[in-house]
Amino acid sequence: MTEKFEDANSIISDLESQLALANLIKRGEYAACIAVLSGDIMKSALAVGISHAMAEEMAADFWKAEMLADTVAGLLRNVDLEESED
């Protein structure tokens, strides 16, 4: 009986690792898209005559806001998972 529990724990542990890796890949892809959008914001701002410093700040603000939102969403998802385990 103990062997079955060990097998189940091993399967669950392996699934958790696979899900964590998939989540990391997804977050990396999201970050890359946000970087592209930040660059687009900067290019568009410069194209309409906004100063370089202001355009850079606009792009950085967008980057920070989006990455913070993604991080908070990930933390909340983890809290929900931990609460559901209890």
Side-chain angles (χ1 to χ4, degrees), residues 49-84:
I50 294 175
S51 71
H52 185 272
M54 178 62 120
E56 194 172 57
E57 189 172 328
M58 290 168 60
D61 286 348
F62 176 75
W63 167 266
K64 290 174 194 171
E66 288 300 313
M67 295 312 294
L68 177 62
D70 182 57
T71 300
V72 169
L75 292 172
L76 291 175
R77 195 170 29 252
N78 288 342
V79 167
D80 287 343
L81 289 175
E82 289 173 3
E83 288 178 354
S84 67

Side-chain angles (χ1 to χ4, degrees), residues 11-78:
I11 291 169
I12 290 170
S13 177
D14 187 44
L15 286 172
E16 286 175 341
S17 295
Q18 290 176 19
L19 287 172
L21 179 59
N23 185 47
L24 182 61
I25 291 168
K26 181 179 170 186
R27 290 187 71 210
E29 290 170 348
Y30 180 77
C33 290
I34 297 304
V36 169
L37 289 173
S38 295
D40 289 346
I41 289 169
M42 186 160 174
K43 286 179 192 176
S44 297
L46 291 171
V48 297
I50 294 175
S51 71
H52 185 272
M54 178 62 120
E56 194 172 57
E57 189 172 328
M58 290 168 60
D61 286 348
F62 176 75
W63 167 266
K64 290 174 194 171
E66 288 300 313
M67 295 312 294
L68 177 62
D70 182 57
T71 300
V72 169
L75 292 172
L76 291 175
R77 195 170 29 252
N78 288 342

